[in-house]
């Protein structure tokens, strides 16, 4: 599922447990994106937070790990709190990215049940296009 706000483009996978999109994941991702963007405006653009959160509104009860930067937020649902963030990021690159990549088979032993990525929409993305139409 893909959707935009005025500040972010969100991409989320379907939950493997429920077979549907997860409103709790979407809500948490949206709040993380708003928070880190606001803090980036008042601090340095290099700010980064990482942690885990219990998705209280998930019907199945779900713990999610996250890494939030001003330009990107990622949320990984259904993973252990000690899961390696670098492996999760590599897995997300394979899912959300367009470049070819590899991942060790051990990394897919316990994959996230759902993932969300939020990319900040820059002023360049919403500016006028680089071409002009001739009428």
């Amino acid at each position: 599922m893909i959707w935009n706000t005025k500040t972010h483009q969100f991409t989320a996978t379907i939950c493997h447990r429920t077979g549907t999109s997860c409103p709790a994941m979407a809500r948490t991702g949206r709040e993380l994106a708003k928070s880190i963007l606001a803090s980036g405006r008042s601090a340095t653009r290099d700010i980064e937070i990482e942690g885990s959160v219990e998705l209280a509104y998930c019907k199945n009860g779900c713990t999610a790990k996250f890494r939030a930067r001003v330009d990107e937020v990622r949320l990984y649902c259904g993973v252990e709190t000690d899961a390696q963030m670098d492996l999760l990021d590599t897995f997300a690159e394979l899912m959300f990215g367009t470049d070819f990549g590899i991942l060790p088979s051990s990394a897919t032993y316990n994959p996230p049940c759902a993932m969300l990525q939020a990319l900040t929409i820059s002023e360049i993305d919403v500016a006028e296009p680089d071409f002009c139409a001739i009428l």
Side-chain angles (χ1 to χ4, degrees):
M1 180 168 61
I2 299 172
W3 71 97
N4 289 344
T5 64
K6 291 182 180 181
T7 57
H8 291 85
Q9 179 184 50
F10 292 86
T11 307
T13 64
I14 299 297
C15 177
H16 292 218
R17 293 180 185 162
T18 64
T20 63
S21 58
C22 178
M25 179 179 67
R27 186 178 303 126
T28 302
R30 186 181 66 233
E31 293 304 318
L32 278 169
K34 286 192 315 190
S35 297
I36 195 71
L37 188 61
S39 63
R41 289 182 180 146
S42 62
T44 68
R45 301 233 3 123
D46 297 332
I47 191 168
E48 176 179 298
I49 57 173
E50 186 176 305
S52 60
V53 61
E54 185 70 28
L55 298 179
Y57 294 103
C58 178
K59 292 186 264 184
N60 298 322
C62 188
T63 300
K65 286 193 74 162
F66 65 87
R67 179 179 283 166
R69 301 178 187 120
V70 173
D71 61 338
E72 175 185 78
V73 173
R74 286 192 174 150
L75 186 65
Y76 306 96
C77 298
V79 296
E80 300 295 324
T81 56
D82 62 348
Q84 294 180 18
M85 189 59 81
D86 291 337
L87 283 176
L88 292 171
D89 280 340
T90 302
F91 190 68
E93 286 297 322
L94 292 173
M95 293 295 292
F96 299 126
T98 57
D99 295 334
F100 174 78
I102 59 172
L103 186 66
S105 61
S106 61
T108 59
Y109 178 69
N110 190 17
C113 63
M115 296 186 298
L116 175 137
Q117 174 177 274
L119 299 176
T120 303
I121 299 172
S122 67
E123 292 79 20
I124 296 170
D125 293 333
V126 295
E128 291 184 33
D130 292 337
F131 62 88
C132 295
I134 300 174
L135 301 176

